[in-house]
Amino acid sequence: MQKKIIKEELTSSQGPLAHKKITKMNPVSGGCIHNAWQIELSNGIELFAKTTSNEKFSMLQFEADCLKQLRQYANPKLLKIPEPLAVQKLSQTSILLMPWLDLCNGDQSTLGEGLAFLHKDSTSQSNKDFGWSRKGYIGSSIQERGLGENWGTFFVNFRLIPQIKKGESWGLKLSDFKELLRNLSIFLNEHEPKPSLVHGDLWSGNIAIEKSGKGIIFDPASWWADREVDIAMTRMFGGFSKDFYN
């Protein structure tokens, strides 16, 4: 029933595929927040769609904005980032539509080079502020909106403290961490980082390799940060090779 409703929404007069004929629509596994679909049109074009409730439309909007920003600074010879073709709220569902990409495993050298280029190029063109001007998401968790020139202070106030406050229901007390957070703020500024556009949720489930050898990154939670945010995230769950880090 859900598949039928989404198909009708996609091809309605207000849908992103208005009056197009869908010949194949298969669910794609892997997501835990939205539903995902592989779609084939009668002209042979393949697409990827994320669908969710209208209450979560802002999450799809944020993802589309992140993809657009990342594409602006990425070197397309090294790194492929999905293009958001449409993001739309319809009567019963919200949809983010992108080209279908064939994801593979393989040598991660070009992925690492592409990420380094993205960080370097965005840093050279960025303003002086860390953060993001609108509310963001990482998974289903909210990333606080805000901008600031001081990296250590921003990271503590907008990333660490919100997490500690969530932990108050488990018995954590913000007052117990004040000295630690003050020292962390100083430590994080020691290498004088500049704002880079980061993917923001760079774990092994959000990367792949194209058959050509290019790296692919997707499902971002982007913001302007110390570029080491991305490197740190790759260490959390493994899946990145020595070639990537080299």
Side-chain angles (χ1 to χ4, degrees), residues 200-245:
D201 192 12
L202 198 68
W203 69 289
S204 57
N206 289 342
I207 61 108
I209 307 299
E210 195 182 41
K211 289 182 179 179
S212 66
K214 292 180 186 178
I216 304 174
I217 58 176
F218 47 90
D219 288 356
S222 294
W223 52 299
W224 291 91
D226 181 346
R227 62 179 182 260
E228 292 186 2
V229 162
D230 274 344
I231 306 304
M233 184 67 75
T234 68
R235 300 285 190 179
M236 287 186 67
F237 308 112
F240 290 79
S241 68
K242 183 178 179 180
D243 292 329
F244 169 83
Y245 295 108

Side-chain angles (χ1 to χ4, degrees), residues 49-62:
K50 280 188 176 183
T51 60
T52 192
S53 65
N54 284 339
E55 289 75 19
K56 295 179 180 178
F57 176 62
S58 60
M59 298 178 73
L60 297 185
Q61 280 186 309
F62 173 69

Side-chain angles (χ1 to χ4, degrees), residues 17-210:
L17 299 178
H19 311 304
K20 302 289 185 182
K21 184 177 180 181
I22 296 175
T23 56
K24 182 173 71 174
M25 185 172 177
N26 295 325
V28 177
S29 62
C32 58
I33 301 173
H34 312 301
N35 294 312
W37 310 87
Q38 180 186 18
I39 295 170
E40 184 176 306
L41 304 181
S42 57
N43 58 7
I45 292 176
E46 288 187 290
L47 301 168
F48 176 76
K50 280 188 176 183
T51 60
T52 192
S53 65
N54 284 339
E55 289 75 19
K56 295 179 180 178
F57 176 62
S58 60
M59 298 178 73
L60 297 185
Q61 280 186 309
F62 173 69
E63 181 174 344
D65 288 343
C66 292
L67 292 170
K68 289 176 184 177
Q69 287 285 318
L70 291 168
R71 286 173 58 84
Q72 181 178 339
Y73 296 104
N75 183 336
K77 294 180 180 179
L78 302 172
L79 197 61
K80 178 167 282 191
I81 297 168
E83 178 185 4
L85 302 174
V87 56
Q88 198 166 349
K89 181 189 288 187
L90 300 174
S91 60
Q92 298 186 62
T93 191
S94 293
I95 295 167
L96 172 59
L97 196 66
M98 295 172 278
W100 176 263
L101 300 178
D102 289 318
L103 309 182
C104 306
N105 295 315
D107 188 295
Q108 295 181 353
S109 299
T110 305
L111 173 66
E113 187 178 358
L115 184 68
F117 184 97
L118 169 67
H119 289 160
K120 185 176 181 179
D121 193 49
S122 62
T123 299
S124 68
Q125 299 184 47
S126 76
N127 57 34
K128 59 186 178 180
D129 288 328
F130 297 96
W132 202 252
S133 59
R134 60 183 295 180
K135 180 179 71 176
Y137 300 88
I138 182 165
S140 58
S141 298
I142 292 173
Q143 289 197 142
E144 300 288 343
R145 64 182 289 272
L147 298 168
E149 294 183 27
N150 185 296
W151 167 242
T153 300
F154 182 89
F155 190 77
V156 166
N157 289 341
F158 286 84
R159 293 296 178 263
L160 297 184
I161 288 179
Q163 294 300 312
I164 294 172
K165 287 182 176 179
K166 284 187 176 182
E168 288 178 347
S169 61
W170 317 329
L172 294 181
K173 294 181 180 179
L174 182 58
S175 58
D176 293 339
F177 295 90
K178 284 189 176 180
E179 184 176 355
L180 173 63
L181 293 175
R182 183 166 54 251
N183 291 332
L184 276 174
S185 179
I186 296 169
F187 171 75
L188 290 170
N189 285 328
E190 285 183 352
H191 66 290
E192 300 179 353
K194 296 180 180 179
S196 301
L197 183 65
V198 298
H199 176 281
D201 192 12
L202 198 68
W203 69 289
S204 57
N206 289 342
I207 61 108
I209 307 299
E210 195 182 41

